[in-house]
Amino acid sequence: MKKISTKVTKILDFNHIDYELFTYSEERLSGIEIATILKEDPKLVFKTLLTKDNKNKFHIFVIPVNKELDLKKCAKFINEKSVEMAHEKEMKPITGYIHGGCSMIGLIKNIDITVDSSFITYPFIYISAGEIGKQIKINPLDIKRIIDYKVTNITKE
């Protein structure tokens, strides 16, 4: 049987980072629906969000699927006047991924990444494997071995 792989799993394999790959329906689902399928607490399942600031510079923010991004906190953290969600059509040319399958691993452009402070509090989390219908379970500190991300509180209370 052929092993399922994605751009993300190839990068993790190349860097000898442990993970588990989970597959499910290839339709777009909400993060809460994905957590339900994985039988996990939604606070352990993270979504990757593409934003841009008032100077049209793109930023990635990674938050739990059961939370909402606080754009004001994001702007303050990156020292800009404002941050807004990027348009769905900007996702693929900027990240290399489509909406619903964006991962913080394997981005095609160098984009600053900030993760919510809860990201590093768990021994494992789930993030997109880079395709709709695929998630990886991984230690968040292992991601730090290959990606430089910043950590702060970026969700609404």
Side-chain angles (χ1 to χ4, degrees):
M1 186 166 85
K2 184 180 177 207
K3 180 183 173 192
I4 297 172
S5 66
T6 68
K7 180 180 180 181
V8 172
T9 61
K10 288 175 185 172
I11 291 168
L12 295 173
D13 289 342
F14 179 80
N15 288 283
H16 309 289
I17 294 175
D18 291 331
Y19 65 91
E20 284 181 69
L21 177 66
F22 294 86
T23 61
Y24 51 92
S25 165
E26 292 184 14
E27 61 184 288
R28 277 196 195 169
L29 300 172
S30 74
I32 300 294
E33 290 170 319
I34 293 167
T36 300
I37 289 169
L38 295 171
K39 296 180 175 65
E40 285 292 354
D41 189 322
K43 70 183 181 188
L44 298 173
V45 181
F46 284 75
K47 55 187 172 184
T48 303
L49 304 172
L50 179 66
T51 65
K52 62 181 173 181
D53 63 28
N54 50 286
K55 295 177 183 165
N56 283 326
K57 181 181 178 193
F58 289 92
H59 303 268
I60 293 282
F61 292 98
V62 182
I63 65 171
V65 298
N66 63 340
K67 298 282 186 170
E68 191 176 334
L69 188 64
D70 188 323
L71 295 173
K72 288 182 181 175
K73 284 183 184 176
C74 293
K76 185 175 180 180
F77 183 73
I78 63 170
N79 234 3
E80 290 298 338
K81 289 180 188 168
S82 64
V83 170
E84 64 183 34
M85 296 304 298
H87 295 285
E88 188 173 327
K89 67 181 185 213
E90 295 172 300
M91 180 78 66
K92 182 127 173 113
I94 299 300
T95 67
Y97 297 112
I98 61 169
H99 179 75
C102 187
S103 181
M104 64 189 291
I105 299 171
L107 299 168
I108 61 172
K109 295 196 177 191
N110 187 17
I111 304 171
D112 290 339
I113 300 171
T114 303
V115 301
D116 186 64
S117 51
S118 64
F119 187 87
I120 59 168
T121 62
Y122 306 112
F124 67 86
I125 55 152
Y126 293 83
I127 61 170
S128 174
E131 295 176 13
I132 293 174
K134 295 179 179 68
Q135 294 278 314
I136 57 169
K137 180 180 179 180
I138 189 168
N139 181 318
L141 298 179
D142 284 343
I143 298 172
K144 190 71 168 167
R145 291 176 29 207
I146 57 170
I147 300 223
D148 184 29
Y149 58 76
K150 295 178 180 80
V151 181
T152 193
N153 179 4
I154 49 174
T155 58
K156 291 186 178 179
E157 299 304 318

